Amino acid sequence: MTEEEEQEVRFELARLRQEHADLDAAIAVMSETGRIDPLRIQRLKKKKLALKDRIAVLEDQLLPDIIA
């Protein structure tokens, strides 16, 4: 992986982590305020999980497995 490609992956990783945190905050606010729409919360949680999976893939690209 070139330095440019690594930099792009790091930027994407930072963006996805921020989006993941934003979704987490939105879910918490919806739960705390009592404005609970179960379907909306379920969709947000599903999107949050998909982001977590994408983050894991990008992290694996940056830190490949080392077999000893």
Side-chain angles (χ1 to χ4, degrees):
M1 179 180 294
T2 67
E3 281 188 37
E4 186 176 310
E5 290 171 335
E6 184 176 334
Q7 190 68 19
E8 288 176 14
V9 170
R10 289 187 187 281
F11 283 135
E12 180 68 7
L13 194 54
R15 187 188 68 78
L16 291 174
R17 284 181 176 150
Q18 182 61 52
E19 189 174 348
H20 185 272
D22 291 346
L23 283 174
D24 195 36
I27 291 167
V29 168
M30 288 178 76
S31 297
E32 289 172 4
T33 61
R35 298 186 64 204
I36 299 174
D37 177 1
L39 184 59
R40 182 167 172 85
I41 288 177
Q42 182 181 10
R43 287 178 180 162
L44 290 174
K45 286 182 177 181
K46 190 172 184 177
K47 185 174 181 180
K48 185 178 155 190
L49 184 59
L51 286 172
K52 186 176 179 181
D53 291 343
R54 180 68 180 139
I55 288 168
V57 168
L58 292 176
E59 286 174 340
D60 286 345
Q61 287 180 2
L62 292 176
L63 301 170
D65 290 339
I66 299 173
I67 301 174

